[in-house]
DNA sequence: ACCACTATACGGTAGCACGAGGTAGTGGAG
DNA sequence: CTCCACTACCTCGTGCTACCGTATAGTGGT
C-alpha cells in the first residue's frame, strides 16, 4: 500500500486511544498491534510521540512496571478525559467517513 | 461538529480531485460544493492552496474564462495523471477506512 | 460613493506523522 | 566473553497539510 502518512493525521492518535481503551498496554506492544491491524508502516518513534502527547494532555494514566525481558514498560490506561476524547474521535470519524462515502457515491 | 482539520489532512485534496473529476469547475464553486457536502468549515483560501498544488503537480488542466458576474474564473479538469491520482486516493481511502472500522469493531 | 457578492492569491502558523539516531536491559550464539 | 538480536523507551529535526488573515479585483445594487 502507498504512503498513508498524510491520511493518518488525526486518526492515528484515535487508533492509539482505542487500543489503550480496550486494554492497558505499552508503547512497544501498541506498535506491534497497529502493524498487525494493517498499519504496517507505523514505527515506534511515531507511537511514542503520540503517547507523550496523550500524557501531556492528561488523557491517560501511566504505570511503570518491570518487564523480565528488557527495560521496564510504561503501561497506559485511559482516564475519564481519555474516554471522552475517544468518544469524540469516533464521532468525528463517523461524520467524516459518511461525508466522504457520500461524495464517492456521487452524492448530490 | 468539532474541529476536523487534522483528520482532513490527506483527504481534502482527494475530495477536491473527485469534485473536479465529476465536472469541470472552479475554486469558488468547489468551496461551495464542499460546504454543501458537510465540510462546513472549509474556506476558500484552503481550496485555492490545494488547486495551486494540483496544478504544480501536473494533475489538472486549467482554463481561464470570463464570468459575467465577477472576475474571470479558472476552470479545472483532471488530466490522465489526475485521474490516476484520484484512483490512488480512493484505494487508500478504502484501505484506511476498512482498517479503522475493523479496529472499531474490536477487530482481533 | 459605498457595500455585497463573486473570484483569486499569498505569507505565515500550528499540528501531526515520520526519519534517524541514541540509550538500556535481557538472553543466546559464537 | 564478546557480539548480536530482541525488547523497550526517548528526542530532535523535517516535510506536508489545512487554515487564518489579508489583499486585490470585477460586477451590480442602493
Amino acid at each position: 500500500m502507498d504512503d498513508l502518512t498524510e491520511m493518518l493525521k488525526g486518526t492515528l492518535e484515535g487508533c492509539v486511544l482505542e487500543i489503550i481503551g480496550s486494554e492497558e498496554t505499552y508503547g512497544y506492544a501498541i506498535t506491534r498491534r497497529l502493524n498487525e491491524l494493517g498499519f504496517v508502516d507505523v514505527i515506534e518513534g511515531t507511537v511514542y510521540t503520540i503517547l507523550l502527547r496523550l500524557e501531556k494532555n492528561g488523557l491517560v494514566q501511566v504505570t511503570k512496571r518491570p518487564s523480565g525481558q528488557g527495560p521496564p514498560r510504561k503501561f497506559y490506561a485511559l482516564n475519564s478525559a481519555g474516554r471522552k476524547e475517544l468518544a469524540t474521535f469516533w464521532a468525528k470519524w463517523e461524520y467524516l467517513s459518511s461525508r466522504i462515502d457520500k461524495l464517492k457515491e456521487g452524492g448530490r
Side-chain angles (χ1 to χ4, degrees), chain A:
Chain A
M1 175 54 52
D2 264 23
D3 186 30
L4 290 177
T5 62
E6 288 308 323
M7 245 184 220
L8 284 175
K9 294 194 175 173
T11 63
L12 192 56
E13 179 177 313
C15 294
V16 172
L17 278 172
E18 173 66 27
I19 292 172
I20 295 172
S22 76
E23 180 189 18
E24 190 188 38
T25 180
Y26 56 99
Y28 190 79
I30 293 170
T31 310
R32 290 293 98 79
R33 181 102 183 83
L34 285 168
N35 297 150
E36 277 173 31
L37 284 164
F39 304 93
V40 288
D41 293 326
V42 174
I43 206 177
E44 283 139 29
T46 301
V47 175
Y48 289 115
T49 54
I50 292 174
L51 291 173
L52 292 175
R53 192 162 66 232
L54 295 179
E55 187 176 359
K56 182 182 145 209
N57 293 344
L59 303 174
V60 288
Q61 188 203 337
V62 190
T63 316
K64 202 171 199 169
R65 298 210 191 92
S67 156
Q69 44 188 2
R73 299 166 176 164
K74 282 177 70 178
F75 283 83
Y76 292 82
L78 295 189
N79 58 25
S80 63
R83 280 187 292 274
K84 197 172 166 186
E85 180 67 23
L86 178 57
T88 305
F89 165 71
W90 283 124
K92 289 208 256 183
W93 173 255
E94 285 298 317
Y95 185 87
L96 179 63
S97 64
S98 73
R99 308 293 144 152
I100 304 259
D101 289 339
K102 197 167 86 177
L103 171 63
K104 192 186 168 195
E105 309 307 334
R108 309 221 154 263

